[in-house]
């Protein structure tokens, strides 16, 4: 961290979050919301005339955040990461002051600029030019100050003649570029950025990263919510990992990102069903089919090992030419016995022209993150020349590989 534009010591705290919690009331039915608004008051009155039953609640509590505490100092770049639904955007809204916490407190010092969602702070019927002046006024800039910065803002937004068109006609990328351009040119003490930058193109994201560096050197504190672990590693000094609304880790950005990625790898591995797939191709005599005449009947023998119990899995087999174009394609449910799959797939005689071909077998299972595949290659000597997916069917049957 380098010089602070505002003349404050770089150790000064800009954001202080103390034991924040945010609870929402979840109703099973629409009428329960009305009951909650009326009946507890009636029950409370009834207690004064001897009715002893405690007032009933018609909702269940959902804590989007609970027990979150951290500090961010002047000039820091702070990242907030976590899976969807972890509470990242909720936390950013509380820091911005657009959402009130149920528990705990937040202290923010200095001028705050926030990019929380697409189009926030813009009037859709105003032009880009008018919205620049509107937003700048909301941030406390006079018209003269905005006049002095307008050319810089317009140049950074880089939306050309659309600057004089209503923003309701803008693409999502144009929204973000204009919003970001306004926010960075008011020179905030604290800049809050949600995942909105993900909609920008690669060139714009590089320009944003460069501008983040300029803002930091000017003393601006930046808090970024993102799913891009590369951005957090490259840009952030420190990071917070939220998991189901509670802090899992906080500290050096690289260490927190590494812990988060390790956890995601572990979770993905725990959800895998199919451990491995093997496929072998035999000709009509039972020999390995590595070089066969056109029109030969072939049999693919497929084996797979499972790490989670299933009654059956879906086997998808394709015959592809050397360019990856499908010639035959079929799928079938096959049984699982003792955690193992064994199936035979008959490849009917097809007048293939000379060249290299591939038989690919893929297994899909309920709960499997993605199909697991294996393939084998073979050569065909002179013959016909199919140019499209054939109507012939693959023959599936269970049996030893």
């Amino acid at each position: 961290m380098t010089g602070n534009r505002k003349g404050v010591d770089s150790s000064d705290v800009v954001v202080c979050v103390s034991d924040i919690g945010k609870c929402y009331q979840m109703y099973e039915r629409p009428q329960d919301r009305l009951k909650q608004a009326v009946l507890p008051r009636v029950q409370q009155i009834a207690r004064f005339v001897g009715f002893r039953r405690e007032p009933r609640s018609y909702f269940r509590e959902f804590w989007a955040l609970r027990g979150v505490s951290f500090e961010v100092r002047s000039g820091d770049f702070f990242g907030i990461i976590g899976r969807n639904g972890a509470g990242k955007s909720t936390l950013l809204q509380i820091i911005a002051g657009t959402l009130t916490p149920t528990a705990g407190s937040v202290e923010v010092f200095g001028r705050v600029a926030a990019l929380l969602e697409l189009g926030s702070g813009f009037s859709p019927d105003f032009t880009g030019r008018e919205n620049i002046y509107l937003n700048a006024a909301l941030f406390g800039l006079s018209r003269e100050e905005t006049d002095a910065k307008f050319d810089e803002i317009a140049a950074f937004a880089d939306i050309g003649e659309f600057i004089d068109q209503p923003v309701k006609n803008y693409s999502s990328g144009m929204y973000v570029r204009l919003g970001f351009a306004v926010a960075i040119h008011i020179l905030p003490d604290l800049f809050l950025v949600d995942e909105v930058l993900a909609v920008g193109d690669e060139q714009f994201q590089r320009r944003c990263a460069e501008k983040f560096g300029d803002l930091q050197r000017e003393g601006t504190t930046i808090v970024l919510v993102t799913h891009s672990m590369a951005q957090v590693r490259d840009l952030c000094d420190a990071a917070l990992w939220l998991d189901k609304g509670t802090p899992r880790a906080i500290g050096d950005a690289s260490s927190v990102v590494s812990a988060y990625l390790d956890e995601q790898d572990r979770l993905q591995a725990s959800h895998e069903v199919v451990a491995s797939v093997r496929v072998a191709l035999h000709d009509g005599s039972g020999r390995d089919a590595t070089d066969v005449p056109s029109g030969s009947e072939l049999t693919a023998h497929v084996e797979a090992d499972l790490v989670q119990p299933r009654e059956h899995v879906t086997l998808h087999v394709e015959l592809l030419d050397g360019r990856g174009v499908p010639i035959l394609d079929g799928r079938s449910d096959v049984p699982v016995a003792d955690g193992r799959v064994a199936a035979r797939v008959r490849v009917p005689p097809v007048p293939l022209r000379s060249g290299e071909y591939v038989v690919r077998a893929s297994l899909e299972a309920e709960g499997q993150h993605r199909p697991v595949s294996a393939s084998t290659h073979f050569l065909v000597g002179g013959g016909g020349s199919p140019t499209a997916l054939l109507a012939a069917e693959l023959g599936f049957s269970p049996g030893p590989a």
Side-chain angles (χ1 to χ4, degrees):
M1 296 176 293
T2 56
N4 190 320
R5 176 180 62 252
K6 297 121 190 128
V8 221
D9 187 271
S10 62
S11 65
D12 284 354
V13 173
V14 176
V15 180
C16 181
V17 175
S18 302
D19 201 24
I20 279 294
K22 180 61 181 178
C23 182
Y24 291 96
Q25 295 177 351
M26 309 293 287
Y27 296 91
E28 297 295 333
R29 302 170 299 170
Q31 56 264 40
D32 290 342
R33 193 178 297 273
L34 177 60
K35 289 179 181 179
Q36 183 62 36
V38 176
L39 294 182
R41 291 180 172 84
V42 174
Q43 293 166 351
Q44 192 71 35
I45 294 172
R47 294 186 66 189
F48 288 105
V49 294
F51 188 78
R52 298 296 182 185
R53 182 180 296 178
E54 289 293 322
R56 176 186 168 187
S57 293
Y58 294 88
F59 63 87
R60 60 182 175 85
E61 292 185 341
F62 171 73
W63 286 87
L65 290 171
R66 180 173 270 174
V68 180
S69 299
F70 62 90
E71 291 182 347
V72 186
R73 300 186 178 275
S74 176
D76 278 358
F77 202 133
F78 189 81
I80 302 175
I81 63 174
R83 304 184 75 180
N84 288 332
K88 306 182 298 297
S89 295
T90 301
L91 176 57
L92 212 62
Q93 291 176 56
I94 290 174
I95 296 173
T98 60
L99 199 61
T100 303
T102 306
S105 63
V106 175
E107 292 182 282
V108 176
F109 304 94
R111 176 187 286 170
V112 180
L115 282 179
L116 299 181
E117 59 183 42
L118 284 177
S120 58
F122 284 169
S123 174
D125 293 316
F126 285 10
T127 66
R129 183 185 300 271
E130 291 166 337
N131 271 291
I132 289 174
Y133 281 91
L134 172 63
N135 272 258
L138 292 174
F139 284 123
L141 270 65
S142 68
R143 187 172 184 87
E144 291 72 24
E145 289 175 307
T146 308
D147 285 339
K149 295 176 180 291
F150 181 84
D151 288 342
E152 292 180 53
I153 295 172
F156 192 92
D158 191 25
I159 58 175
E161 62 186 11
F162 285 95
I163 196 76
D164 290 311
Q165 296 298 315
V167 299
K168 64 184 178 183
N169 298 329
Y170 285 12
S171 67
S172 56
M174 292 166 69
Y175 258 119
V176 170
R177 291 203 296 273
L178 187 61
F180 190 87
V182 174
I184 60 175
H185 284 91
I186 67 162
L187 300 179
D189 299 282
L190 174 63
F191 189 19
L192 307 175
V193 187
D194 207 338
E195 187 65 27
V196 292
L197 290 185
V199 303
D201 57 37
E202 186 177 350
Q203 181 184 4
F204 177 71
Q205 290 189 20
R206 284 199 300 269
R207 291 169 60 205
C208 290
E210 293 170 2
K211 197 63 182 179
F212 281 145
D214 294 340
L215 289 173
Q216 266 196 291
R217 285 186 285 275
E218 288 292 323
T220 294
T221 301
I222 303 168
V223 178
L224 173 69
V225 166
T226 181
H227 286 285
S228 170
M229 297 303 105
Q231 283 184 352
V232 177
R233 274 188 167 137
D234 293 344
L235 300 175
C236 296
D237 306 304
L240 165 67
W241 168 18
L242 287 177
D243 183 24
K244 297 178 182 177
T246 58
R248 280 289 297 272
I250 185 169
D252 173 71
S254 293
S255 300
V256 173
V257 166
S258 294
Y260 174 76
L261 293 177
D262 287 346
E263 174 73 0
Q264 302 318 298
D265 289 343
R266 186 190 67 78
L267 287 174
Q268 181 173 322
S270 70
H271 287 106
E272 295 299 331
V273 178
V274 181
S276 62
V277 177
R278 299 171 295 282
V279 59
L281 192 64
H282 295 162
D283 61 19
S285 303
R287 295 187 295 266
D288 288 342
T290 55
D291 192 341
V292 298
S294 179
S296 298
E297 182 173 320
L298 304 171
T299 301
H301 297 265
V302 181
E303 284 186 326
D305 298 311
L306 275 63
V307 292
Q308 293 192 35
R310 293 291 186 275
E311 291 184 1
H312 62 81
V313 293
T314 299
L315 173 59
H316 179 204
V317 175
E318 302 165 280
L319 173 61
L320 312 168
D321 68 15
R323 298 169 299 167
V325 176
I327 298 169
L328 288 173
D329 183 290
R331 64 176 63 231
S332 176
D333 287 347
V334 294
V336 178
D338 298 324
R340 187 170 177 268
V341 171
R344 294 191 306 270
V345 182
R346 175 181 173 272
V347 181
V350 176
L352 301 175
R353 62 184 172 187
S354 299
E356 183 178 18
Y357 292 84
V358 178
V359 172
R360 180 167 63 201
S362 304
L363 254 68
E364 304 166 8
E366 182 183 357
Q368 178 76 21
H369 184 67
R370 61 174 64 89
V372 179
S373 302
S375 59
T376 184
H377 297 244
F378 67 100
L379 296 174
V380 170
S385 55
T387 57
L389 188 65
L390 296 179
E393 293 185 356
L394 297 170
F396 290 83
S397 61

